[in-house]
């Protein structure tokens, strides 16, 4: 039987707090550091590996983290989730994003449907639609092929799909897999939509409207913006738009769209890249076969998350080290630093994934907690970040745990030798140097040139960023966030914190305001 307990009720957590701190600087210096790098590596799916040698842990800490995983029943809770337990207690919903990409557990029957079959059906419908677009069977009013796909959505309808598209765009070009260029409109700021439309041949553009409810203010506003632009060009919007929505939405079965593909309430927006939300745009851009490879990479990594041994379960280990850093070492933030330009928007997606999931101050039963939960997350690709905020990371007063991501090969195949080494070698040299510099620091008589060290980091390493490795990478972080939510005893699958502002914004637009809200409305000339 699964018991949901607060972190501070667990005997293993109390034992964790009593362990002496690990001197990372000593552990990572010299031959001892070299041996540690070899020993502290956990295989992931698709040839990736999670190396945590530069984290401030040792075998004693790991032993207690294993006890915490067992006592908190992390694996049992994951099993309850993928077997159709009502894990989203806040909204009394199943949590089914894993069903979109694999065979982890039981079939789940909800709303009179077999949900596994429902998700597969949507993937198959999207694949068939994409092939008709490529062949010209589905074309614009003049019978000309669509060349660009534009996704209109916000939050999880934008951040994940956009990050995944950018991650694979160069790979697709290098491998002859780019079927259509993709663009994204998210912000209700009209400059966002205008910038995309002004750089798009709208006569040959297919627009995807993504809204689960069909009532999202920003998305419907941008839809109207786009429809007006199409009409100004003498085009019929209904011949240029499809919808991704729920079957109960006003967008479903609507003659205003070429077709509609469906999602449901059991997949939160930030977990929806493997659903029709990501599936439509990624299948159209790269082909349904490429999207299928992405899903296969996610499924392979999901299987590693079923291991009870944390040394065989990289997502659980990563999560528990994060709990140790947050609740014992008292670090407030974490940074995700991909040394891959293709992952330029990956940290932005992880901000929503992590902070919207675990940014909670009450447990899954609505009771206040006496410990910290989700960290503040930020990030930027290396080496750009090195010339931005790394100064604070190296010598600032806050210690920020770091998560590097790196690949041995680039995606484009272009890598000339310049001044004795390739650009990729320079990139990899930088990430290796940063890990050691953060951990070991540097002594100097000049305080301004002194680096204290003991700044923890881990790295996920792969050969190349491909659809499969991208899928495994995304699944790792989704499962890491899930395991941390289980450890903290929060509901990682609702997001009530985003609702209040939406309610007040509607009052402003309806001119139903008073007090400070009215004053700010006047200040902004609403």
């Amino acid at each position: 039987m699964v018991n949901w307990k607060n972190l501070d009720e667990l005997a293993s957590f109390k034992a964790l707090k009593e362990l002496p701190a690990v001197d990372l600087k000593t552990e990572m210096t010299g031959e001892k550091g070299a041996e540690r790098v070899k020993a502290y590596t956990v295989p992931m799916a698709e040839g990736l590996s999670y190396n945590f040698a530069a984290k401030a842990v040792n075998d004693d800490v790991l032993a207690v983290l294993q006890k915490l995983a067992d006592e908190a029943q992390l694996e049992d809770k994951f099993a309850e989730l993928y077997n159709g337990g009502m894990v989203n207690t806040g909204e009394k919903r199943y949590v089914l994003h894993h069903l979109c990409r694999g065979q982890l557990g039981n079939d789940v029957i909800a709303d009179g449907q077999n949900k596994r079959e429902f998700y597969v059906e949507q993937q198959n419908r999207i694949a068939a639609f994409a092939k008709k677009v490529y062949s010209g069977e589905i074309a614009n009013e003049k019978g000309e092929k669509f060349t660009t796909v534009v996704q209109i959505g916000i939050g999880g309808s934008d951040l994940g799909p956009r990050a995944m598209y950018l991650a694979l765009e160069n790979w697709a070009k290098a491998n002859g897999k780019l079927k259509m260029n993709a663009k994204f409109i998210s912000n209700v700021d009209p400059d966002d939509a205008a910038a995309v439309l002004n750089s798009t041949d709208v006569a040959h553009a297919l627009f995807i409207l993504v809204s689960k409810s069909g009532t999202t203010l920003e998305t419907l506003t941008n839809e109207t913006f786009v429809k007006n632009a199409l009409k100004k060009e003498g085009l019929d919007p209904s011949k240029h738009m499809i919808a991704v929505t729920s079957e109960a939405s006003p967008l479903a079965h609507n003659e205003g769209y070429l077709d509609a593909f469906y999602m449901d309430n059991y997949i939160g927006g930030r977990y929806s890249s493997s659903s029709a939300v990501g599936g439509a745009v990624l299948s159209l851009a790269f082909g349904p076969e490429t999207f299928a490879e992405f899903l296969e990479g996610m499924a392979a990594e999901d299987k590693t998350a079923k291991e009870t041994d944390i040394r065989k379960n990289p997502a659980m280990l990563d999560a528990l080290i994060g709990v140790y850093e947050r609740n014992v070492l008292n670090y407030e933030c974490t940074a995700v630093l991909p040394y891959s330009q293709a992952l330029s928007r990956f940290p932005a997606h992880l901000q929503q994934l992590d902070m919207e999931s675990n940014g909670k101050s009450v447990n899954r039963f609505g009771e206040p907690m006496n410990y910290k939960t989700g960290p503040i997350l930020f990030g930027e690709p290396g080496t750009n970040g090195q010339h931005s905020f790394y100064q604070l990371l190296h010598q600032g007063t806050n210690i920020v745990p770091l998560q590097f991501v790196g690949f041995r090969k680039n995606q484009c195949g272009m890598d000339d030798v310049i001044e004795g080494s390739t650009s990729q070698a320079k990139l990899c040299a930088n990430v290796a140097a940063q890990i050691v510099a953060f951990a070991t620091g540097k002594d100097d008589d000049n305080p301004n040139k002194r680096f204290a060290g003991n700044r923890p980091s881990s790295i996920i390493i792969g050969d190349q960023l491909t659809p499969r490795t991208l899928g495994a990478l995304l699944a790792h972080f989704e499962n890491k966030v899930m395991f941390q939510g289980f450890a903290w005893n929060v509901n990682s699958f609702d997001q009530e914190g985003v609702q209040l502002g939406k309610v007040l914004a509607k009052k402003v637009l309806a001119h139903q305001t008073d007090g400070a809200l009215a004053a700010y409305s006047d200040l902004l000339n609403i």
Side-chain angles (χ1 to χ4, degrees):
M1 179 179 177
V2 171
N3 295 306
W4 300 90
K5 293 184 178 181
N6 284 358
L7 179 65
D8 57 3
E9 296 177 50
L10 305 179
S12 52
F13 177 64
K14 296 170 186 175
L16 194 64
K17 295 176 72 173
E18 294 172 358
L19 292 174
V22 174
D23 184 355
L24 184 60
K25 187 172 182 178
T26 300
E27 293 288 328
M28 286 293 290
T29 299
E31 190 58 33
K32 189 175 184 179
E35 292 300 321
R36 186 177 166 92
V37 172
K38 296 175 185 176
Y40 280 9
T41 299
V42 176
M44 297 171 60
E46 304 299 344
L48 297 175
S49 59
Y50 171 67
N51 182 283
F52 61 101
K55 286 291 191 181
V57 298
N58 57 19
D59 288 348
D60 292 338
V61 174
L62 293 172
V64 179
L65 289 178
Q66 180 67 66
K67 292 179 181 178
L68 195 156
D70 297 339
E71 187 181 1
Q73 298 177 287
L74 298 187
E75 191 48 54
D76 293 335
K77 290 170 182 175
F78 183 33
E80 180 163 322
L81 181 153
Y82 63 68
N83 281 316
M86 197 68 69
V87 174
N88 181 350
T89 52
E91 297 171 314
K92 293 181 171 56
R93 292 174 180 168
Y94 304 109
V95 177
L96 302 182
H97 53 275
H98 294 92
L99 276 184
C100 289
R101 67 244 194 171
Q103 303 289 327
L104 282 181
N106 301 331
D107 286 344
V108 178
I109 307 300
D111 307 327
Q113 295 175 317
N114 180 310
K115 284 298 175 180
R116 191 191 306 277
E117 293 177 357
F118 170 72
Y119 300 140
V120 171
E121 177 191 13
Q122 298 311 307
Q123 291 164 11
N124 291 337
R125 291 184 61 234
I126 290 168
F129 181 87
K131 289 175 182 177
K132 290 180 181 178
V133 170
Y134 305 150
S135 70
E137 183 177 344
I138 294 176
N140 70 6
E141 291 171 86
K142 294 182 179 180
E144 299 165 336
K145 290 184 180 182
F146 292 113
T147 57
T148 303
V149 57
V150 182
Q151 180 126 319
I152 307 169
I154 197 166
S157 299
D158 169 75
L159 287 165
R162 187 195 295 252
M164 300 308 114
Y165 172 78
L166 292 174
L168 294 178
E169 184 179 27
N170 278 337
W171 173 89
K173 289 177 179 177
N175 289 276
K177 299 290 186 180
L178 187 64
K179 307 290 187 180
M180 302 174 72
N181 291 310
K183 299 182 180 183
F184 298 83
I185 298 172
S186 59
N187 200 332
V188 74
D189 182 342
D191 286 344
D192 186 19
V196 172
L197 292 172
N198 288 338
S199 64
T200 301
D201 176 9
V202 295
H204 299 91
L206 181 63
F207 295 87
I208 307 174
L209 186 74
V210 185
S211 173
K212 185 185 298 182
S213 66
T215 61
T216 309
L217 175 65
E218 297 94 335
T219 302
L220 294 184
T221 300
N222 279 327
E223 179 194 27
T224 301
F225 199 104
V226 167
K227 284 183 173 179
N228 290 340
L230 288 166
K231 290 174 183 176
K232 287 177 184 177
E233 296 292 325
L235 302 168
D236 180 355
S238 69
K239 305 298 184 183
H240 286 260
M241 304 193 83
I242 62 174
V244 175
T245 189
S246 68
E247 291 184 284
S249 145
L251 307 180
H253 312 292
N254 189 317
E255 293 182 356
Y257 305 94
L258 286 166
D259 209 336
F261 305 101
Y262 300 114
M263 52 177 162
D264 57 35
N265 286 325
Y266 308 120
I267 299 176
R270 57 198 177 277
Y271 297 97
S272 64
S273 289
S274 52
S275 75
V277 173
V281 65
L282 297 177
S283 293
L284 284 162
F286 305 129
E289 297 83 6
T290 297
F291 183 64
E293 291 179 15
F294 169 72
L295 296 182
E296 287 164 6
M298 297 193 81
E301 188 62 28
D302 285 341
K303 289 177 183 176
T304 71
K306 295 174 68 176
E307 295 284 346
T308 55
D309 182 348
I310 64 172
R311 297 292 288 266
K312 297 179 181 178
N313 187 331
M316 188 185 292
L317 176 59
D318 196 1
L320 289 167
I321 292 174
V323 170
Y324 177 62
E325 290 174 332
R326 189 78 175 101
N327 299 106
V328 177
L329 302 180
N330 296 311
Y331 299 145
E332 296 286 330
C333 304
T334 189
V336 177
L337 309 169
Y339 274 62
S340 167
Q341 186 60 30
L343 293 174
S344 61
R345 291 295 291 171
F346 197 65
H349 170 57
L350 295 186
Q351 280 184 332
Q352 187 198 18
L353 174 64
D354 200 314
M355 296 169 73
E356 194 167 89
S357 294
N358 291 336
K360 309 291 172 63
S361 57
V362 297
N363 67 14
R364 61 191 298 104
F365 305 113
E367 303 162 342
M369 295 174 296
N370 299 316
Y371 49 85
K372 302 289 182 66
T373 57
I376 298 166
L377 187 150
F378 64 97
E380 185 75 14
T383 57
N384 293 29
Q386 292 178 201
H387 296 267
S388 174
F389 51 79
Y390 278 36
Q391 169 62 45
L392 183 148
L393 299 182
H394 276 293
Q395 292 183 307
T397 54
N398 288 322
I399 293 179
V400 179
L402 312 171
Q403 174 74 75
F404 292 98
V405 180
F407 299 93
R408 301 177 189 93
K409 300 176 184 176
N410 62 41
Q411 292 179 314
C412 65
M414 298 171 60
D415 202 13
D416 297 341
V417 174
I418 302 170
E419 295 185 358
S421 60
T422 66
S423 297
Q424 188 68 23
K426 291 179 175 69
L427 182 70
C428 292
N430 270 277
V431 71
Q434 291 295 331
I435 293 170
V436 175
F438 279 117
T440 62
K442 181 176 77 76
D443 293 328
D444 199 289
D445 292 337
N446 183 342
N448 290 319
K449 296 183 179 181
R450 190 178 304 142
F451 292 73
N454 269 307
R455 310 272 166 145
S457 69
S458 60
I459 182 168
I460 295 174
I461 303 171
D463 196 47
Q464 187 183 49
L465 185 59
T466 67
R468 289 179 182 275
T469 55
L470 179 65
L473 184 68
L474 178 59
H476 171 87
F477 282 101
E478 288 186 354
N479 293 329
K480 172 190 175 181
V481 168
M482 172 193 69
F483 283 129
Q484 285 188 328
F486 289 160
W488 285 319
N489 198 28
V490 299
N491 179 9
S492 300
F493 306 107
D494 65 3
Q495 57 283 331
E496 293 300 327
V498 306
Q499 301 302 324
L500 179 58
K502 291 182 179 180
V503 172
L504 294 181
K506 289 180 179 179
K507 288 186 176 182
V508 170
L509 292 172
H511 301 288
Q512 299 172 350
T513 59
D514 56 19
L517 195 59
Y520 278 114
S521 300
D522 292 340
L523 188 64
L524 291 162
N525 195 30
I526 300 170

